[in-house]
């Protein structure tokens, strides 16, 4: 299979403009005859559904939450990047492009990233016009801050709730289209399969989560905006419902899955406090602007109160190892450094299951320098949240932090048009693999989700629709009944096992294994071990899981069982991808490939996107490679020293 | 510590519900309230019983999915805290707690502690937006917004749509929710052109959904996990009154642009 990225040739600065002109349009009078399915109502999904509705298409939008306003985009705290250069500090579209390509450790497509940087400025205009209450200066203009180690202040923010405010903006736009009858919204409805007719995506199978009814819907194109797969690790910062089901089922129907091993581990999360822990809470990276990260130099000091550890016995390891970026080193580097000091036995905080896994994030210096009031203005809500969860007051004692899975750069392979390898199946936001390479920079996820939804898909989908006959396929085609029958059978199987283990116990077992073997550091032996063990967990799951209740009612155990069943297949692919990539880059750190703890990339052999083709249950998937070329940003070793 | 839970169980919208008693002997103070329910659910499942259904998702207090009554208080006893952020250190050994779904005619019970809050969506659909199509926005800094207005709009925009305000109101009024959305948009210059029309449309929809009227009990503000202020209700009342006197509503339904 040849993977054609469809990146326009010629100058990168004009590529998107030229591409937009070359794409076909649909006559306004004909648009309402076309139906588009959008699965997911986060930033990418809601933005796409709203915009397609505005353009006059007939849109069907689905989400598993009780309302589209709750999608996980809502939890993003820090901000959204845009190359506005309002601060006159040397930012530009080109610089945002450069930083993103470099930050992604040269594993993203230049063409996509350049377009993303261009569109970033439109997103801010759009959001402000919708009423998104970004932070402002006293003069009434928009405020910016530097974020995640960027040397320029290009991050727009809304206190610590930027994701919420942007999502509410997109949700309002979506609500307007629902009222206008252009978008039909299906909440508490989960997609369980994609329906293909003659190789094209023509619809989906869904389950109504309240009644349990399984039904199908037909469309002229399908768009998945269903988020990432961090919950493969069981404990992550993702919402409890986040899952891989939509993208995985599309993968099983033929969509290639790219770079599944590229996962982002966020350095500043509240450490787990016990075995009952259900999820981890992220604390905004902005805390690292003023907090200093340290652990004791001597493992014997780890059980002491931080107050009793004098300055000379503290190791400010980020400042020591990376003097120029220090506490603001990029996420992958900061996370790995935290793991290393904890592996050295220098972690702090209460021991959970035998190990202290935490590092201090200390604000004492900042409070001395700026005063408690200034710190409270900047981080008050985060400090409160930390105290609520841990019972400790960060104004008096340093916060404890540990890295946690947070975002996944991998996803379904898409071309420049965001179309997967299944014609008519488009993928947007975190669900696709396109723009962040091996590591995503802070404040870039919101940017990508909204760029895809507001400004890319509405054009590229139109181009696709212009080439197909409207309403050519309906649910009376036998493919729909076949797909629904298959889904019903699989639901019935899950319910009929009535074994002795709960769904969560399997999820936890898989997650723990993936975190140990395919987490912040990976090696051949560990990955091979995981690849051998996962099929066994899967086998036991299908023999011994206990899903109480029936399928004809609201059944949260059944919902989770379906998602865990998919994660059990997906987790193996993640490990296979990590095993095949014999280099270290971005969030993917192979212990065999390092220079004294620093990631060693291998551009000669691995400068490609790895796109995996499903080969059938229990069969090893086939690897396809999309070579990456860098004409503008020359690959260099990422150094933050 | 030991905690006793009396939990409302109801299998469908139309089924008759009842309280069910459960004892948990090994709760720790570091658990969140929902993690305690997870532990209970794991046990119920292992015993072949049906777990308790409750809405939850982000568990960070921002998505607004969770929420039920703990001893008659929406989201429980901690101030400005959603139930997912409530930790067991707020309780003491031996406490017996009563868990019920949010009760309001406009929030039908779906199952156990879950309710249907789609009425909120329909209130927003009635006018809780600014009519701007993608692509037609002017340069973001072309309209300065005073920091005071921006901050007030933000305070109102912080609403997470959880429904605690409705559940705590003796009239099951949705005025705090509705006024927060109307204030958020109406305080910004971008939302000004539709301010009065928005007030009328959203309030009419609120009435149509079966929410009660506001009698300024202000319990809503006390329980709101995001600290939304009742001054928003006063603002919406002013806008509504002004619109009823001077404003002619726009003809027909929202056209959705395009």
């Amino acid at each position: 299979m040849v993977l054609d990225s469809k990146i326009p040739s010629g100058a990168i600065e004009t590529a998107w403009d030229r591409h937009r002109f070359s794409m076909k349009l649909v006559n306004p009078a004909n648009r309402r005859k076309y139906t588009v399915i959008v699965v997911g109502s986060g930033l990418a999904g809601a933005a796409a559904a709203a915009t397609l509705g505005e353009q006059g298409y007939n849109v069907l939008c689905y989400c598993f939450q009780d309302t589209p306003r709750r999608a996980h985009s809502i939890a993003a705290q820090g901000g959204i990047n845009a190359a506005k250069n309002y601060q006159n500090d040397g930012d530009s579209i080109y610089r945002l492009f450069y930083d993103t390509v470099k930050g992604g450790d040269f594993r993203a497509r230049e063409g996509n990233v350049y377009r993303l940087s261009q569109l970033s400025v439109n997103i801010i205009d759009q959001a402000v016009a919708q009423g998104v209450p970004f932070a402002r200066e006293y003069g009434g203009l928009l405020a910016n801050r530097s974020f995640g180690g960027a040397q320029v202040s290009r991050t727009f923010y809304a206190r610590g709730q930027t994701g919420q405010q942007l999502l509410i903006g997109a949700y309002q736009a979506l609500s307007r289209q629902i009222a206008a009858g252009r978008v039909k919204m299906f909440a508490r409805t989960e997609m369980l399969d994609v329906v293909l007719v003659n190789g094209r995506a023509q619809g989906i199978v869904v389950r109504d989560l309240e009644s349990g009814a399984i039904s199908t819907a037909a469309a002229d194109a399908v768009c998945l905006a269903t988020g990432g797969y961090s919950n493969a690790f069981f404990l992550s910062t993702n919402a409890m419902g986040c899952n891989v089901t939509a993208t995985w089922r599309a993968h099983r129907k033929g969509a290639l899955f790219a770079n599944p091993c590229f996962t982002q581990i966020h350095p500043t999360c509240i450490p787990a406090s016990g075995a009952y822990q259900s999820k981890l809470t992220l604390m905004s990276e902005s805390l690292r602007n003023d907090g200093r990260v340290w652990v004791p130099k001597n493992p014997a000091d780890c059980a002491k109160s931080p107050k009793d550890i004098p300055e000379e016995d503290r190791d400010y390891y980020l400042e020591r190892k990376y003097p120029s970026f220090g506490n603001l080193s990029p996420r992958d580097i900061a996370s790995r450094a935290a793991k290393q000091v904890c592996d050295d036995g220098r972690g702090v905080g209460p021991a959970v299951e035998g190990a202290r896994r935490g590092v201090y994030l200390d604000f004492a210096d900042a409070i001395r320098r700026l005063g408690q009031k200034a710190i409270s203005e900047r981080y008050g809500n985060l400090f409160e949240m930390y105290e609520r969860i841990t019972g400790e007051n960060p104004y008096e004692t340093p916060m404890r932090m540990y890295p946690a899975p947070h975002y996944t750069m991998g996803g379904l392979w898409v071309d420049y048009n965001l179309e997967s390898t299944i014609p008519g199946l488009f993928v947007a936001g975190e669900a696709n693999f396109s723009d962040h390479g091996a590591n995503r920079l802070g404040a870039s996820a919101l940017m990508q989700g909204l760029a895809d939804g507001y400004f890319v898909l509405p054009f590229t989908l139109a181009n696709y629709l212009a080439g197909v006959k409207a309403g050519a396929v309906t649910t009376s085609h036998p493919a729909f009944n076949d797909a629904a029958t298959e889904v019903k059978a699989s639901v019935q199987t899950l319910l009929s096992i009535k074994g002795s283990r709960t769904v969560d116990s399997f999820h936890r077992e898989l997650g723990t294994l993936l975190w140990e073997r395919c987490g912040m550091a990976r090696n051949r032996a560990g990955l091979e071990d995981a690849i051998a063990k996962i099929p066994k967990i899967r086998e036991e799951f299908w023999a011994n899981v206990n899903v109480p209740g029936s399928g004809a009612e609201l059944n949260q155990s059944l919902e989770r069982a379906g998602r865990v069943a998919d994660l059990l297949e997906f987790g193996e692919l993640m490990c296979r991808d990590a095993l095949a990539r014999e280099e270290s880059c971005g969030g993917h750190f192979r212990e065999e490939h390092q220079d004294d703890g620093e990631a060693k990339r291998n551009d000669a052999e691995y400068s490609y996107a790895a796109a995996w083709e499903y080969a059938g249950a229990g069969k090893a998937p086939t690897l396809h490679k999309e070579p990456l070329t860098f004409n503008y940003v020359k690959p260099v070793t990422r150094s933050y020293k | 510590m030991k905690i006793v839970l009396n939990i409302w169980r109801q299998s469908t919208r139309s089924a008759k519900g009842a309280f069910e008693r459960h004892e948990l002997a090994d709760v720790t103070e570091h658990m969140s309230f929902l993690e305690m329910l997870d532990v209970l659910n794991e046990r119920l499942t292992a015993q072949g019983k049906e777990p308790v259904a409750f809405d939850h998702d982000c568990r960070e207090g921002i998505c607004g999915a969770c929420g039920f009554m703990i001893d008659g208080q929406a989201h429980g006893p901690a101030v400005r805290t959603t139930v997912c952020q409530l930790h067991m250190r707020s309780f003491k050994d031996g406490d017996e707690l009563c868990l019920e779904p949010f009760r309001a005619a406009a929030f039908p019970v779906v199952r156990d502690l879950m309710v249907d809050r789609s009425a909120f969506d329909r209130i927003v659909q009635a006018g809780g937006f600014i009519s701007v199509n993608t692509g037609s926005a002017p340069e973001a800094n072309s309209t300065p917004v005073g920091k005071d207005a921006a901050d007030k709009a933000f305070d109102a925009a912080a609403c997470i749509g959880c429904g605690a305000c409705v559940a705590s109101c003796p009239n099951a009024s949705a005025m705090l929710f509705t006024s927060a959305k109307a204030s958020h948009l109406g305080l910004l210059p971008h939302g000004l052109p539709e301010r009065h029309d928005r007030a009328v449309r959203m309030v009419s929809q609120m009435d149509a959904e079966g929410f009660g009227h506001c009698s300024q009990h202000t319990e809503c503000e006390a329980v709101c996990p995001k600290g939304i202020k009742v001054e928003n209700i006063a603002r919406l009342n002013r806008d509504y009154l002004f619109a009823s006197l001077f404003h002619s509503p726009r003809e027909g339904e929202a056209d959705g642009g395009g």
Side-chain angles (χ1 to χ4, degrees):
Chain A
M1 184 182 299
V2 178
L3 293 169
D4 180 5
S5 66
K6 301 198 177 133
I7 298 282
S9 56
I12 201 166
E13 292 84 354
T14 56
W16 175 236
D17 261 358
R18 284 180 284 114
H19 189 66
R20 267 199 304 178
F21 184 70
S22 74
M23 285 190 290
K24 285 173 279 189
L25 301 172
V26 178
N27 180 322
N30 286 337
R31 289 181 197 162
R32 67 173 183 279
K33 297 175 191 160
Y34 286 96
T35 300
V36 179
I37 285 173
V38 178
V39 186
S41 65
L43 289 180
T51 306
L52 290 163
E54 288 163 10
Q55 292 176 338
Y57 297 100
N58 177 33
V59 181
L60 310 177
C61 185
Y62 296 81
C63 71
F64 70 76
Q65 296 89 348
D66 69 325
T67 147
R69 68 177 288 155
R70 307 213 198 280
H72 184 58
S73 307
I74 206 162
Q77 297 170 358
I80 176 165
N81 287 330
K84 284 282 197 185
N85 192 29
Y86 282 161
Q87 304 309 318
N88 200 26
D89 55 2
D91 200 12
S92 62
I93 288 169
Y94 200 91
R95 190 175 292 280
L96 175 57
F97 156 70
Y98 176 90
D99 287 353
T100 308
V101 171
K102 181 185 170 204
D105 219 356
F106 304 94
R107 291 296 173 263
R109 280 187 203 132
E110 282 190 331
N112 280 59
V113 177
Y114 196 89
R115 174 177 67 186
L116 176 66
S117 306
Q118 285 177 306
L119 295 175
S120 68
V121 299
N122 302 101
I123 296 169
I124 302 304
D125 297 342
Q126 186 62 31
V128 165
Q130 288 169 340
V132 172
F134 283 123
R136 288 179 182 269
E137 306 289 358
Y138 280 99
L141 302 183
L142 291 156
N144 293 108
R145 63 181 169 198
S146 161
F147 196 80
Q151 313 272 44
V152 292
S153 288
R154 63 160 74 102
T155 303
F156 294 77
Y157 61 100
R159 292 185 199 161
Q161 304 157 24
T162 317
Q164 181 200 18
Q165 294 307 325
L166 288 168
L167 182 65
I168 295 300
Y171 161 76
Q172 286 169 191
L174 176 66
S175 297
R176 176 168 166 248
Q177 295 309 310
I178 295 170
R182 306 260 181 80
V183 177
K184 201 161 176 220
M185 186 72 219
F186 300 87
R188 279 204 212 277
T189 307
E190 182 166 25
M191 172 191 143
L192 293 180
D193 212 350
V194 55
V195 181
L196 269 52
V197 175
N198 298 326
R200 286 171 182 267
Q202 296 280 191
I204 57 174
V205 182
V206 295
R207 180 169 180 269
D208 177 326
L209 297 182
E210 189 180 336
S211 70
I214 288 167
S215 61
T216 57
D220 299 296
V222 176
C223 171
L224 302 184
T226 50
Y229 48 82
S230 291
N231 277 348
F233 294 105
F234 185 65
L235 284 183
S236 82
T237 68
N238 278 193
M240 302 297 283
C242 293
N243 64 80
V244 79
T245 289
T247 46
W248 185 253
R249 305 231 172 152
H251 173 63
R252 298 211 316 195
K253 284 283 169 84
L256 267 49
F257 210 111
N259 300 337
C261 81
F262 288 168
T263 56
Q264 180 164 78
I265 314 294
H266 195 287
T268 53
C269 302
I270 301 177
S273 68
Y276 47 78
Q277 190 96 21
S278 61
K279 77 160 295 228
L280 297 168
T281 303
L282 179 140
M283 301 299 287
S284 171
E285 191 163 34
S286 61
L287 290 168
R288 290 199 282 146
N289 286 340
D290 287 306
R292 295 180 71 195
V293 179
W294 64 275
V295 291
K297 284 183 180 162
N298 183 354
D301 286 345
C302 289
K304 285 187 188 166
S305 159
K307 280 198 196 94
D308 300 333
I309 303 173
E311 198 60 28
E312 64 270 18
D313 290 340
R314 300 175 175 191
D315 178 12
Y316 293 91
Y317 59 89
L318 284 177
E319 296 170 22
R320 172 172 59 80
K321 287 164 85 170
Y322 308 102
S324 66
F325 279 72
N327 295 300
L328 292 173
S329 300
R331 291 177 175 180
D332 52 340
I333 287 170
S335 293
R336 221 147 42 226
K339 179 183 190 301
Q340 278 162 2
V341 295
C342 293
D343 288 350
D344 287 351
R346 295 194 286 142
V348 297
V352 174
E353 291 171 354
R356 293 178 204 280
R357 297 229 153 252
V359 299
Y360 289 125
L361 180 63
D362 198 335
F363 290 86
D365 278 356
I367 292 173
R368 262 195 300 276
R369 194 174 69 244
L370 304 162
Q372 179 156 335
K373 189 164 172 282
I375 294 300
S376 149
E377 273 170 13
R378 282 184 203 174
Y379 310 112
N381 59 337
L382 296 169
F383 278 35
E384 274 170 37
M385 181 150 115
Y386 181 84
E387 189 169 359
R388 261 201 302 275
I389 293 173
T390 61
E392 296 170 359
N393 178 354
Y395 293 105
E396 287 164 8
T397 187
M399 288 183 170
R400 288 175 294 108
M401 293 285 149
Y402 197 67
H406 169 58
Y407 183 90
T408 53
M409 284 75 70
L412 289 182
W413 185 90
V414 290
D415 63 17
Y416 191 65
N417 295 323
L418 305 184
E419 190 174 13
S420 71
T421 49
I422 297 176
L425 183 73
F426 292 75
V427 192
E430 192 180 352
N432 73 30
F433 89 112
S434 61
D435 297 355
H436 305 297
N439 175 54
R440 179 177 64 73
L441 291 180
S444 288
L446 302 179
M447 173 172 73
Q448 185 225 335
L450 289 176
D452 286 0
Y454 284 133
F455 299 111
V456 180
L457 267 179
F459 296 102
T460 58
L461 250 167
N463 179 54
Y464 173 82
L465 293 173
V468 301
K469 188 171 172 289
V473 173
T474 67
T475 54
S476 60
H477 190 284
F480 285 82
N481 191 36
D482 292 351
T485 308
E486 213 175 292
V487 166
K488 282 176 191 162
S490 127
V491 166
Q492 222 32 61
T493 309
L494 284 171
L495 286 162
S496 63
I497 300 166
K498 296 281 188 270
S500 65
R501 281 183 62 184
T502 63
V503 174
D504 280 11
S505 78
F506 286 101
H507 192 179
R508 197 181 288 273
E509 185 181 357
L510 172 74
T512 308
L513 182 65
L514 287 175
W515 182 233
E516 280 167 10
R517 303 296 193 218
C518 198
M520 278 186 281
R522 298 132 181 212
N523 60 53
R524 170 167 288 277
L527 291 165
E528 283 173 345
D529 176 60
I531 292 167
K533 279 182 180 152
I534 293 170
K536 294 192 180 118
I537 305 176
R538 206 159 56 216
E539 205 175 301
E540 200 200 335
F541 174 87
W542 285 103
N544 195 25
V545 72
N546 178 14
V547 184
S550 81
E553 60 181 336
L554 190 140
N555 187 338
Q556 291 177 312
S557 306
L558 176 62
E559 294 164 25
R560 285 205 302 278
R563 293 169 196 164
V564 171
D566 291 329
L567 287 171
L568 281 166
E569 294 183 12
F570 172 76
E572 188 181 331
L573 183 70
M574 213 164 112
C575 294
R576 284 184 185 280
D577 187 44
L579 182 64
R581 190 169 282 277
E582 292 279 358
E583 63 164 350
S584 294
C585 58
H588 172 64
F589 187 76
R590 282 286 300 268
E591 288 168 347
E592 301 93 325
H593 305 288
Q594 56 173 312
D595 277 328
D596 195 23
E598 301 305 314
K600 201 169 150 192
R601 223 176 51 226
N602 180 349
D603 290 333
E605 291 176 88
Y606 292 94
S607 185
Y608 59 74
W612 296 87
E613 183 183 1
Y614 187 71
K619 291 195 186 126
T622 315
L623 173 62
H624 301 274
K625 297 173 184 174
E626 181 205 331
L628 297 168
T629 48
F630 295 90
N631 299 320
Y632 295 85
V633 188
K634 287 293 160 221
V636 289
T637 301
R638 250 169 102 223
S639 172
Y640 294 92
K641 287 204 170 180
Chain B
M1 56 188 180
K2 185 182 142 185
I3 298 284
V4 178
L5 300 172
N6 292 294
I7 306 173
W8 184 261
R9 303 302 303 261
Q10 178 176 338
S11 60
T12 63
R13 283 180 192 241
S14 52
K16 197 166 173 297
F19 284 100
E20 199 175 85
R21 191 170 191 277
H22 296 281
E23 281 187 30
L24 285 162
D26 49 356
V27 175
T28 78
E29 58 162 20
H30 292 297
M31 281 181 175
S32 74
F33 203 91
L34 298 189
E35 281 168 348
M36 177 184 66
L37 289 184
D38 291 339
V39 170
L40 171 68
N41 278 343
E42 285 290 279
R43 284 186 198 156
L44 291 174
T45 306
Q47 293 161 14
K49 295 179 187 154
E50 297 230 7
V52 180
F54 60 93
D55 265 319
H56 64 101
D57 203 21
C58 77
R59 298 207 178 186
E60 291 184 14
I62 195 74
C63 77
C66 68
F68 45 78
M69 307 299 269
I70 302 174
D71 283 350
Q73 267 184 302
H75 293 296
V79 176
R80 293 190 64 172
T81 302
T82 55
V83 70
C84 67
Q85 292 274 285
L86 177 66
H87 280 66
M88 294 313 291
R89 66 179 70 90
S90 297
F91 300 91
K92 57 184 193 302
D93 184 38
D95 274 355
E96 180 155 353
L97 307 172
C98 174
L99 314 188
E100 301 178 77
F102 286 167
R103 305 273 188 198
F107 283 175
V109 174
V110 170
R111 178 161 199 162
D112 299 343
L113 303 175
M114 293 168 90
V115 296
D116 178 350
R117 290 165 288 191
S118 57
F120 274 7
D121 288 326
R122 291 186 291 274
I123 292 174
V124 173
Q125 286 156 21
F129 48 76
I130 291 172
S131 297
V132 52
N133 282 354
T134 304
S136 56
E139 198 330 289
N141 259 349
S142 60
T143 310
V145 183
K147 195 165 185 307
D148 186 45
D151 284 349
K152 277 205 173 98
F154 191 100
D155 290 341
C159 169
I160 56 174
C162 65
C165 48
V166 172
S168 307
C169 175
N171 311 328
S173 169
M175 271 301 269
L176 193 68
F177 168 82
T178 308
S179 67
K181 180 51 57 194
S183 286
H184 155 212
L185 299 174
L187 283 166
L188 294 169
H190 310 86
L192 213 49
E194 295 171 292
R195 178 168 172 169
H196 294 104
D197 194 54
R198 181 181 302 122
V200 172
R201 283 170 179 267
M202 292 181 79
V203 170
S204 309
Q205 187 63 35
M206 190 182 80
D207 291 344
E209 295 291 343
F211 291 105
H213 289 276
C214 172
S215 53
Q216 296 181 18
H217 195 73
T218 68
E219 177 72 5
C220 53
E221 180 180 305
V223 299
C224 176
K226 295 295 149 183
I228 306 291
K229 297 265 191 309
V230 290
E231 69 177 44
N232 293 305
I233 296 182
R235 190 176 293 115
L236 179 59
N237 280 334
R238 281 200 300 277
D239 285 356
Y240 186 83
L241 182 66
F242 180 92
S244 323
L245 294 175
F246 305 113
H247 183 75
S248 46
R250 71 174 153 197
E251 295 293 318
E253 294 304 307
D255 66 359

